[in-house]
Amino acid sequence: MDPTQSTLLILAAAVFVVYRQMMTRPTARNGIVYVSAAMIVLGVFTGGLIDGDHLAVSLGLGAVEAVAAVIFGAIRAATVRVWMDEAGVTWSKATLLTLLAWLASLASRVGLYFAGAALGLPVTTSGLLFFIGLTIGTQALLVARRGRALSAATVRADNFVE
């Protein structure tokens, strides 16, 4: 597939994920974790993530991208509203701050892209797949963890006997 088409497809998937986050959703869902894992695997195995001609630079930039993806995923997870309803089901919904954090995440990825290009690294979609998969997965896992913490706190409170 043409790199431009791949990039547009990846960005369309990311926009869809952001759109879904803006809706009220249960925190206990595994589908998004599988999608993010698939994106990470595709990013690693399609090649181009590491440039053999510029090994140190590509490894360093890859590490910076991975750290940035995890940090932005954690920031966005902290901005998502998580609550429990009367039935004990935990829910989540992204906020305006989540959307702003997505924009900051995108800006950092664009900056890393241009930094790589300026350093002579080849332009591939592998890095984009890896970054988006890692950042979405981090956010999903942390939001689910917050939901489980709410459930556990309620169970402990219900079992407390005076």
Short mmCIF file of all heavy atoms in Angstrom, two decimals, residues 97-146:
data_model
loop_
_atom_site.label_atom_id
_atom_site.label_comp_id
_atom_site.label_asym_id
_atom_site.label_seq_id
_atom_site.Cartn_x
_atom_site.Cartn_y
_atom_site.Cartn_z
N LEU A 97 -10.34 18.21 27.96
CA LEU A 97 -8.91 18.09 28.25
C LEU A 97 -8.31 16.88 27.54
O LEU A 97 -7.16 16.93 27.10
CB LEU A 97 -8.66 18.00 29.75
CG LEU A 97 -8.82 19.30 30.54
CD1 LEU A 97 -8.66 19.03 32.03
CD2 LEU A 97 -7.82 20.33 30.06
N THR A 98 -9.07 15.81 27.43
CA THR A 98 -8.59 14.62 26.71
C THR A 98 -8.35 14.97 25.25
O THR A 98 -7.32 14.59 24.67
CB THR A 98 -9.62 13.47 26.80
OG1 THR A 98 -10.03 13.30 28.15
CG2 THR A 98 -9.04 12.18 26.27
N LEU A 99 -9.28 15.70 24.67
CA LEU A 99 -9.14 16.11 23.28
C LEU A 99 -7.92 17.01 23.10
O LEU A 99 -7.15 16.85 22.15
CB LEU A 99 -10.41 16.82 22.81
CG LEU A 99 -10.52 17.14 21.33
CD1 LEU A 99 -10.39 15.87 20.49
CD2 LEU A 99 -11.84 17.82 21.04
N LEU A 100 -7.71 17.93 24.03
CA LEU A 100 -6.53 18.80 23.96
C LEU A 100 -5.24 17.99 24.11
O LEU A 100 -4.24 18.26 23.43
CB LEU A 100 -6.61 19.89 25.03
CG LEU A 100 -7.72 20.93 24.85
CD1 LEU A 100 -7.78 21.86 26.04
CD2 LEU A 100 -7.53 21.70 23.56
N ALA A 101 -5.27 16.98 24.97
CA ALA A 101 -4.10 16.12 25.13
C ALA A 101 -3.84 15.31 23.85
O ALA A 101 -2.69 15.05 23.50
CB ALA A 101 -4.29 15.19 26.33
N TRP A 102 -4.92 14.91 23.15
CA TRP A 102 -4.74 14.23 21.87
C TRP A 102 -4.04 15.16 20.87
O TRP A 102 -3.16 14.74 20.11
CB TRP A 102 -6.08 13.77 21.30
CG TRP A 102 -6.41 12.36 21.61
CD1 TRP A 102 -7.40 11.91 22.43
CD2 TRP A 102 -5.75 11.19 21.12
NE1 TRP A 102 -7.39 10.53 22.49
CE2 TRP A 102 -6.39 10.06 21.69
CE3 TRP A 102 -4.66 10.98 20.27
CZ2 TRP A 102 -5.98 8.76 21.41
CZ3 TRP A 102 -4.26 9.68 20.00
CH2 TRP A 102 -4.91 8.60 20.57
N LEU A 103 -4.45 16.42 20.85
CA LEU A 103 -3.83 17.38 19.93
C LEU A 103 -2.36 17.58 20.28
O LEU A 103 -1.51 17.66 19.38
CB LEU A 103 -4.60 18.70 19.95
CG LEU A 103 -6.02 18.64 19.38
CD1 LEU A 103 -6.73 19.97 19.58
CD2 LEU A 103 -5.99 18.25 17.91
N ALA A 104 -2.04 17.65 21.57
CA ALA A 104 -0.64 17.79 21.98
C ALA A 104 0.15 16.53 21.59
O ALA A 104 1.31 16.63 21.15
CB ALA A 104 -0.56 18.02 23.49
N SER A 105 -0.47 15.38 21.74
CA SER A 105 0.16 14.12 21.35
C SER A 105 0.46 14.11 19.86
O SER A 105 1.56 13.73 19.43
CB SER A 105 -0.76 12.95 21.73
OG SER A 105 -0.22 11.73 21.35
N LEU A 106 -0.49 14.55 19.08
CA LEU A 106 -0.31 14.62 17.63
C LEU A 106 0.80 15.60 17.28
O LEU A 106 1.65 15.32 16.42
CB LEU A 106 -1.62 15.02 16.95
CG LEU A 106 -1.57 15.24 15.45
CD1 LEU A 106 -1.22 13.94 14.73
CD2 LEU A 106 -2.89 15.77 14.95
N ALA A 107 0.83 16.74 17.94
CA ALA A 107 1.87 17.73 17.68
C ALA A 107 3.25 17.17 18.01
O ALA A 107 4.22 17.40 17.27
CB ALA A 107 1.61 19.00 18.49
N SER A 108 3.35 16.41 19.10
CA SER A 108 4.65 15.82 19.44
C SER A 108 5.07 14.80 18.39
O SER A 108 6.24 14.73 18.02
CB SER A 108 4.61 15.18 20.83
OG SER A 108 3.99 13.92 20.79
N ARG A 109 4.12 14.02 17.89
CA ARG A 109 4.44 13.02 16.87
C ARG A 109 4.89 13.69 15.58
O ARG A 109 5.83 13.23 14.93
CB ARG A 109 3.23 12.10 16.62
CG ARG A 109 3.47 11.04 15.58
CD ARG A 109 4.61 10.12 16.00
NE ARG A 109 4.92 9.17 14.97
CZ ARG A 109 6.01 9.20 14.21
NH1 ARG A 109 6.89 10.16 14.36
NH2 ARG A 109 6.24 8.29 13.30
N VAL A 110 4.24 14.77 15.21
CA VAL A 110 4.64 15.51 14.00
C VAL A 110 6.05 16.07 14.21
O VAL A 110 6.90 16.00 13.31
CB VAL A 110 3.63 16.63 13.68
CG1 VAL A 110 4.17 17.58 12.62
CG2 VAL A 110 2.31 16.02 13.23
N GLY A 111 6.32 16.60 15.40
CA GLY A 111 7.65 17.12 15.69
C GLY A 111 8.71 16.03 15.62
O GLY A 111 9.80 16.25 15.06
N LEU A 112 8.41 14.85 16.16
CA LEU A 112 9.34 13.73 16.09
C LEU A 112 9.55 13.26 14.66
O LEU A 112 10.66 12.88 14.26
CB LEU A 112 8.86 12.58 16.97
CG LEU A 112 8.91 12.85 18.47
CD1 LEU A 112 8.15 11.78 19.24
CD2 LEU A 112 10.35 12.93 18.95
N TYR A 113 8.50 13.30 13.87
CA TYR A 113 8.59 12.94 12.46
C TYR A 113 9.57 13.86 11.74
O TYR A 113 10.46 13.40 11.03
CB TYR A 113 7.19 13.02 11.82
CG TYR A 113 7.20 12.96 10.32
CD1 TYR A 113 7.27 11.75 9.66
CD2 TYR A 113 7.12 14.13 9.57
CE1 TYR A 113 7.27 11.69 8.27
CE2 TYR A 113 7.13 14.08 8.18
CZ TYR A 113 7.20 12.86 7.55
OH TYR A 113 7.21 12.81 6.18
N PHE A 114 9.41 15.17 11.93
CA PHE A 114 10.29 16.13 11.27
C PHE A 114 11.71 16.05 11.82
O PHE A 114 12.68 16.24 11.07
CB PHE A 114 9.73 17.54 11.37
CG PHE A 114 8.61 17.79 10.41
CD1 PHE A 114 7.34 18.10 10.87
CD2 PHE A 114 8.80 17.70 9.03
CE1 PHE A 114 6.29 18.32 9.99
CE2 PHE A 114 7.76 17.91 8.14
CZ PHE A 114 6.51 18.22 8.61
N ALA A 115 11.85 15.75 13.10
CA ALA A 115 13.19 15.58 13.67
C ALA A 115 13.88 14.39 13.02
O ALA A 115 15.07 14.47 12.65
CB ALA A 115 13.10 15.38 15.18
N GLY A 116 13.16 13.29 12.85
CA GLY A 116 13.72 12.11 12.19
C GLY A 116 14.11 12.41 10.75
O GLY A 116 15.18 12.00 10.29
N ALA A 117 13.24 13.11 10.04
CA ALA A 117 13.53 13.46 8.65
C ALA A 117 14.76 14.37 8.57
O ALA A 117 15.62 14.20 7.70
CB ALA A 117 12.32 14.14 8.01
N ALA A 118 14.88 15.32 9.50
CA ALA A 118 16.03 16.22 9.51
C ALA A 118 17.32 15.47 9.83
O ALA A 118 18.41 15.87 9.39
CB ALA A 118 15.81 17.34 10.53
N LEU A 119 17.21 14.39 10.60
CA LEU A 119 18.38 13.59 10.95
C LEU A 119 18.71 12.55 9.88
O LEU A 119 19.64 11.76 10.05
CB LEU A 119 18.17 12.91 12.30
CG LEU A 119 18.09 13.86 13.50
CD1 LEU A 119 17.63 13.11 14.74
CD2 LEU A 119 19.45 14.52 13.73
N GLY A 120 17.94 12.52 8.81
CA GLY A 120 18.22 11.62 7.69
C GLY A 120 17.55 10.27 7.76
O GLY A 120 17.89 9.37 6.99
N LEU A 121 16.60 10.10 8.66
CA LEU A 121 15.90 8.82 8.76
C LEU A 121 14.85 8.73 7.66
O LEU A 121 14.21 9.72 7.32
CB LEU A 121 15.25 8.68 10.13
CG LEU A 121 16.19 8.64 11.32
CD1 LEU A 121 15.42 8.57 12.63
CD2 LEU A 121 17.15 7.46 11.22
N PRO A 122 14.64 7.52 7.13
CA PRO A 122 13.62 7.37 6.08
C PRO A 122 12.22 7.54 6.66
O PRO A 122 11.97 7.27 7.83
CB PRO A 122 13.83 5.94 5.58
CG PRO A 122 14.49 5.23 6.71
CD PRO A 122 15.31 6.25 7.44
N VAL A 123 11.32 7.99 5.81
CA VAL A 123 9.93 8.20 6.21
C VAL A 123 9.16 6.90 5.97
O VAL A 123 9.10 6.40 4.86
CB VAL A 123 9.31 9.35 5.39
CG1 VAL A 123 7.84 9.52 5.73
CG2 VAL A 123 10.07 10.64 5.63
N THR A 124 8.61 6.32 7.06
CA THR A 124 7.81 5.11 6.96
C THR A 124 6.56 5.27 7.82
O THR A 124 6.50 6.16 8.67
CB THR A 124 8.58 3.86 7.46
OG1 THR A 124 8.81 4.01 8.86
CG2 THR A 124 9.90 3.69 6.73
N THR A 125 5.59 4.41 7.58
CA THR A 125 4.38 4.44 8.40
C THR A 125 4.53 3.58 9.65
O THR A 125 3.69 3.61 10.53
CB THR A 125 3.16 3.96 7.60
OG1 THR A 125 3.43 2.67 7.09
CG2 THR A 125 2.84 4.92 6.46
N SER A 126 5.61 2.81 9.74
CA SER A 126 5.82 1.92 10.88
C SER A 126 5.86 2.69 12.19
O SER A 126 5.28 2.28 13.19
CB SER A 126 7.14 1.15 10.71
OG SER A 126 7.11 0.37 9.57
N GLY A 127 6.57 3.83 12.20
CA GLY A 127 6.67 4.64 13.41
C GLY A 127 5.32 5.18 13.84
O GLY A 127 5.02 5.22 15.03
N LEU A 128 4.51 5.58 12.89
CA LEU A 128 3.18 6.10 13.20
C LEU A 128 2.30 5.00 13.79
O LEU A 128 1.61 5.22 14.79
CB LEU A 128 2.54 6.68 11.94
CG LEU A 128 1.19 7.35 12.10
CD1 LEU A 128 1.27 8.51 13.08
CD2 LEU A 128 0.69 7.86 10.75
N LEU A 129 2.33 3.82 13.19
CA LEU A 129 1.57 2.69 13.71
C LEU A 129 1.99 2.36 15.14
O LEU A 129 1.16 2.17 16.03
CB LEU A 129 1.79 1.45 12.85
CG LEU A 129 0.84 1.20 11.70
CD1 LEU A 129 1.37 0.09 10.81
CD2 LEU A 129 -0.54 0.88 12.19
N PHE A 130 3.30 2.30 15.35
CA PHE A 130 3.84 1.97 16.66
C PHE A 130 3.43 3.01 17.69
O PHE A 130 2.93 2.68 18.78
CB PHE A 130 5.37 1.87 16.57
CG PHE A 130 6.02 1.50 17.87
CD1 PHE A 130 6.01 0.19 18.31
CD2 PHE A 130 6.66 2.45 18.64
CE1 PHE A 130 6.61 -0.17 19.51
CE2 PHE A 130 7.27 2.11 19.83
CZ PHE A 130 7.25 0.81 20.27
N PHE A 131 3.60 4.29 17.38
CA PHE A 131 3.27 5.39 18.30
C PHE A 131 1.79 5.38 18.66
O PHE A 131 1.43 5.42 19.83
CB PHE A 131 3.66 6.73 17.67
CG PHE A 131 3.40 7.92 18.55
CD1 PHE A 131 4.37 8.36 19.42
CD2 PHE A 131 2.20 8.61 18.49
CE1 PHE A 131 4.16 9.47 20.24
CE2 PHE A 131 1.97 9.71 19.30
CZ PHE A 131 2.95 10.15 20.18
N ILE A 132 0.93 5.32 17.66
CA ILE A 132 -0.51 5.38 17.92
C ILE A 132 -0.98 4.13 18.68
O ILE A 132 -1.76 4.22 19.62
CB ILE A 132 -1.30 5.59 16.62
CG1 ILE A 132 -1.03 7.00 16.10
CG2 ILE A 132 -2.79 5.39 16.84
CD1 ILE A 132 -1.69 7.34 14.80
N GLY A 133 -0.47 2.97 18.29
CA GLY A 133 -0.84 1.75 19.01
C GLY A 133 -0.42 1.80 20.47
O GLY A 133 -1.19 1.45 21.37
N LEU A 134 0.80 2.27 20.72
CA LEU A 134 1.31 2.33 22.09
C LEU A 134 0.56 3.36 22.93
O LEU A 134 0.20 3.10 24.08
CB LEU A 134 2.81 2.64 22.07
CG LEU A 134 3.56 2.54 23.39
CD1 LEU A 134 3.39 1.16 24.03
CD2 LEU A 134 5.03 2.83 23.16
N THR A 135 0.26 4.51 22.35
CA THR A 135 -0.42 5.56 23.13
C THR A 135 -1.88 5.20 23.40
O THR A 135 -2.39 5.44 24.49
CB THR A 135 -0.26 6.94 22.46
OG1 THR A 135 -0.56 7.95 23.41
CG2 THR A 135 -1.11 7.12 21.22
N ILE A 136 -2.56 4.60 22.42
CA ILE A 136 -3.95 4.17 22.62
C ILE A 136 -4.01 3.04 23.65
O ILE A 136 -4.86 3.03 24.54
CB ILE A 136 -4.59 3.73 21.29
CG1 ILE A 136 -4.84 4.95 20.41
CG2 ILE A 136 -5.89 2.98 21.52
CD1 ILE A 136 -5.26 4.60 18.99
N GLY A 137 -3.10 2.09 23.53
CA GLY A 137 -3.07 0.98 24.47
C GLY A 137 -2.80 1.43 25.90
O GLY A 137 -3.44 0.95 26.84
N THR A 138 -1.85 2.34 26.06
CA THR A 138 -1.55 2.87 27.39
C THR A 138 -2.78 3.52 27.99
O THR A 138 -3.14 3.26 29.15
CB THR A 138 -0.39 3.88 27.32
OG1 THR A 138 0.77 3.22 26.81
CG2 THR A 138 -0.09 4.48 28.68
N GLN A 139 -3.43 4.38 27.23
CA GLN A 139 -4.62 5.07 27.73
C GLN A 139 -5.71 4.06 28.10
O GLN A 139 -6.31 4.15 29.17
CB GLN A 139 -5.15 6.06 26.70
CG GLN A 139 -6.38 6.80 27.17
CD GLN A 139 -6.94 7.76 26.14
OE1 GLN A 139 -6.30 8.03 25.12
NE2 GLN A 139 -8.12 8.26 26.40
N ALA A 140 -5.97 3.10 27.23
CA ALA A 140 -7.03 2.12 27.48
C ALA A 140 -6.76 1.31 28.74
O ALA A 140 -7.66 1.09 29.56
CB ALA A 140 -7.20 1.21 26.27
N LEU A 141 -5.52 0.86 28.90
CA LEU A 141 -5.18 0.06 30.08
C LEU A 141 -5.31 0.87 31.36
O LEU A 141 -5.80 0.37 32.38
CB LEU A 141 -3.77 -0.51 29.94
CG LEU A 141 -3.63 -1.62 28.88
CD1 LEU A 141 -2.16 -1.97 28.67
CD2 LEU A 141 -4.43 -2.84 29.26
N LEU A 142 -4.89 2.13 31.33
CA LEU A 142 -4.96 2.96 32.54
C LEU A 142 -6.39 3.35 32.89
O LEU A 142 -6.76 3.40 34.07
CB LEU A 142 -4.07 4.20 32.40
CG LEU A 142 -2.57 3.91 32.38
CD1 LEU A 142 -1.77 5.18 32.12
CD2 LEU A 142 -2.14 3.25 33.68
N VAL A 143 -7.22 3.60 31.89
CA VAL A 143 -8.64 3.91 32.16
C VAL A 143 -9.33 2.66 32.73
O VAL A 143 -10.09 2.76 33.70
CB VAL A 143 -9.35 4.42 30.90
CG1 VAL A 143 -10.87 4.46 31.09
CG2 VAL A 143 -8.84 5.80 30.52
N ALA A 144 -9.04 1.49 32.17
CA ALA A 144 -9.62 0.25 32.70
C ALA A 144 -9.15 0.02 34.13
O ALA A 144 -9.94 -0.43 34.98
CB ALA A 144 -9.23 -0.92 31.81
N ARG A 145 -7.91 0.32 34.41
CA ARG A 145 -7.38 0.17 35.77
C ARG A 145 -8.10 1.09 36.75
O ARG A 145 -8.44 0.69 37.87
CB ARG A 145 -5.89 0.46 35.77
CG ARG A 145 -5.22 0.23 37.09
CD ARG A 145 -3.73 0.35 36.92
NE ARG A 145 -3.22 1.16 38.00
CZ ARG A 145 -2.06 1.72 38.03
NH1 ARG A 145 -1.25 1.62 37.01
NH2 ARG A 145 -1.68 2.42 39.06
N ARG A 146 -8.39 2.31 36.32
CA ARG A 146 -9.14 3.23 37.17
C ARG A 146 -10.54 2.69 37.44
O ARG A 146 -11.07 2.80 38.55
CB ARG A 146 -9.22 4.62 36.53
CG ARG A 146 -7.90 5.37 36.58
CD ARG A 146 -7.96 6.71 35.89
NE ARG A 146 -9.01 7.54 36.43
CZ ARG A 146 -9.60 8.52 35.74
NH1 ARG A 146 -9.25 8.78 34.50
NH2 ARG A 146 -10.54 9.24 36.29
#
